[in-house]
Amino acid sequence: MAGRNLPQLYRFCFLVTGNTAKAGEVFQDTVREAAFHSANGEPPPDRIWFFREAHWRCQAAASKDIQPEKKTSSASEISAEAPKQIKGLEPAQLAQWTTAAPEPQRSAMALYYLNQFTYREIMLILRIKLPALANALSDGRRDLQAWLNAATPAK
């Protein structure tokens, strides 16, 4: 995995767990596992391996926390102001929203907003089919817009 992907791996861990300590632990465990495989002559085949490995570790770490509630707020259509609203957020604010989302929506949105993966790669990392990914992203974007409207109203 090229060094430029390591910050993205940590960001993914942070967005899914919402906790810097847990994200750091998952990140380090994933990199350690890759080093172990490499030392044994079986290096990870590609960057997808790293994110898939981190994904299950994030889910295990997050499962020990309070779980997301069922949706109670209504979703909103995507606004033209959404990119500005997102840019105005601190990483912790986005992680707060992401960690409140149910799986696979949580991980799909985190991978989507890293802007590093094709839809096919996201499906491979999350081990889901296209209809499930489409639903997770569609629902997630509408839910995120509703949250953005409440957290950072457009001017």
Side-chain angles (χ1 to χ4, degrees):
M1 179 171 186
R4 72 185 207 291
N5 288 314
L6 289 175
Q8 295 294 59
L9 181 64
Y10 175 79
R11 285 182 190 107
F12 172 71
C13 295
F14 178 65
L15 287 172
V16 174
T17 64
N19 179 297
T20 56
K22 285 183 184 182
E25 185 178 315
V26 168
F27 173 81
Q28 290 175 357
D29 288 348
T30 302
V31 172
R32 236 183 254 116
E33 184 73 16
F36 176 78
H37 283 289
S38 294
N40 288 314
E42 299 175 7
D46 54 27
R47 69 189 179 119
I48 300 297
W49 180 92
F50 283 86
F51 285 87
R52 185 181 290 157
E53 185 75 14
H55 179 247
W56 77 260
R57 290 175 188 275
C58 287
Q59 286 185 307
S63 71
K64 297 172 186 164
D65 293 334
I66 297 172
Q67 296 302 303
E69 295 183 19
K70 298 284 184 199
K71 277 198 271 185
T72 56
S73 65
S74 59
S76 297
E77 290 305 313
I78 306 302
S79 165
E81 296 296 314
K84 290 178 190 172
Q85 289 173 296
I86 291 171
K87 282 184 181 180
L89 295 176
E90 294 293 323
Q93 289 175 296
L94 188 56
Q96 176 187 20
W97 176 83
T98 306
T99 57
E103 279 295 337
Q105 182 177 315
R106 173 191 321 181
S107 296
M109 292 295 289
L111 290 166
Y112 178 81
Y113 279 107
L114 287 177
N115 201 26
Q116 298 290 311
F117 300 99
T118 65
Y119 293 121
R120 184 178 184 285
E121 290 171 328
I122 294 172
M123 290 186 306
L124 288 171
I125 292 168
L126 302 182
R127 296 183 176 168
I128 60 176
K129 303 242 185 251
L130 184 57
L133 177 60
N135 286 337
L137 290 176
S138 176
D139 292 348
R141 291 180 73 200
R142 285 195 303 272
D143 291 346
L144 176 59
Q145 185 64 61
W147 182 81
L148 284 171
N149 292 344
T152 59
K155 295 178 182 173

